[in-house]
């Protein structure tokens, strides 16, 4: 089981431009200061470590479909954060058969229209605060590794969520090993 933390957005529809050999796509992949369907919350500063690594070029998140890292379909061209959330501009390679035959028609029809972030909490358990009052989890330091195009963001059956992360208790070494062997991003 991969240690992937999903932080999702359900409010914004993706914007896209279909021309040439790439589909340009953009939108929010998470909102700040709001609980998602899995009870996970991030803040503006939750991505400080990620942005430091991203600006140095030591991490390069990719785009996949439904969190399937065997289906890398493109890359992130720009990523920024504002008071609303984490906003990405990305491209999808149209030369991949299931992208041109299945994904793009579903995106254009509006049937697949959301992003979902994935990554891991930097510092393990010390980066997650459980909020007794509303049974949510605040992620203080999140390393974005990929963004998925999803039909249903914040899937409660997702393989890995903050709650599952806390229940399985992977060691920092196990998380580090997952990072090192991942094929969809580079983290040095």
């Amino acid at each position: 089981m991969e240690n992937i933390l999903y932080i999702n957005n359900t409010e914004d529809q993706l914007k896209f431009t279909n021309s040439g050999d790439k589909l340009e796509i953009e939108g929010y992949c998470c909102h700040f200061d709001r609980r998602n369907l899995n009870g996970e919350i991030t803040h503006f500063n939750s991505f400080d470590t990620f942005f430091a690594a991203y600006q140095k070029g030591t991490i390069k998140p990719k785009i996949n479909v439904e969190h399937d890292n065997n289906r890398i379909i493109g890359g992130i061209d720009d990523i920024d954060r504002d008071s609303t959330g984490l906003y990405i501009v990305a491209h999808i390679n149209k030369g991949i058969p299931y992208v041109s035959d299945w994904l793009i028609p579903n995106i254009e029809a509006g049937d697949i229209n959301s992003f979902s972030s994935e990554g891991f909490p930097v510092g393990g358990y010390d980066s997650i605060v459980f909020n007794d009052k509303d049974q949510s989890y605040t992620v203080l330091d999140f390393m974005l590794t990929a963004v998925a195009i999803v039909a249903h963001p914040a899937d409660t059956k997702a393989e890995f969520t903050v709650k599952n992360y806390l229940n399985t208790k992977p060691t920092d070494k196990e998380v580090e090993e997952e990072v090192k062997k991942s094929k969809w991003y580079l983290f040095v």
Side-chain angles (χ1 to χ4, degrees):
M1 176 166 141
E2 292 182 2
N3 292 318
I4 297 173
L5 176 70
Y6 300 127
I7 297 188
N8 307 280
N9 163 40
T10 59
E11 295 182 25
D12 293 304
Q13 301 264 325
L14 299 177
K15 299 173 191 160
F16 64 90
T17 304
N18 190 354
S19 64
D21 61 347
K22 295 179 180 175
L23 175 74
E24 302 294 330
I25 193 163
E26 62 184 276
Y28 285 96
C29 60
C30 76
H31 277 95
F32 298 146
D33 307 317
R34 296 185 194 168
R35 176 185 170 140
N36 72 13
L37 296 177
N38 284 330
E40 300 156 348
I41 301 167
T42 58
H43 304 292
F44 185 90
N45 293 350
S46 298
F47 292 88
D48 287 350
T49 302
F50 164 74
F51 274 103
Y54 179 73
Q55 290 167 349
K56 287 193 286 187
T58 56
I59 190 160
K60 298 175 184 180
K62 300 297 181 196
I63 301 292
N64 65 37
V65 178
E66 295 290 348
H67 299 290
D68 182 348
N69 292 307
N70 293 316
R71 295 196 307 177
I72 301 299
I73 58 171
I76 294 177
D77 300 320
D78 190 30
I79 187 163
D80 203 1
R81 57 188 166 173
D82 58 26
S83 60
T84 300
L86 201 60
Y87 194 87
I88 68 164
V89 177
H91 66 274
I92 298 173
N93 299 316
K94 291 170 33 177
I96 302 168
Y98 68 83
V99 168
S100 59
D101 297 342
W102 177 80
L103 183 61
I104 291 176
N106 278 289
I107 289 172
E108 290 177 332
D111 296 328
I112 297 177
N113 59 11
S114 296
F115 280 138
S116 176
S117 304
E118 61 183 64
F120 61 91
V122 177
Y125 310 111
D126 293 337
S127 291
I128 300 170
V129 176
F130 179 68
N131 308 308
D132 285 322
K133 183 178 178 181
D134 65 358
Q135 303 292 299
S136 65
Y137 304 89
T138 299
V139 183
L140 303 175
D141 198 353
F142 186 76
M143 184 61 66
L144 183 72
T145 59
V147 174
I149 294 175
V150 295
H152 303 288
D155 182 356
T156 57
K157 296 178 183 167
E159 182 176 319
F160 194 85
T161 64
V162 171
K163 183 177 181 180
N164 292 343
Y165 180 82
L166 293 174
N167 289 340
T168 58
K169 296 184 176 31
T171 66
D172 289 342
K173 184 73 173 162
E174 289 171 326
V175 172
E176 183 181 336
E177 288 304 313
E178 286 298 318
V179 171
K180 287 180 180 175
K181 71 181 182 181
S182 295
K183 59 186 176 223
W184 65 94
Y185 61 94
L186 170 68
F187 184 88
V188 180

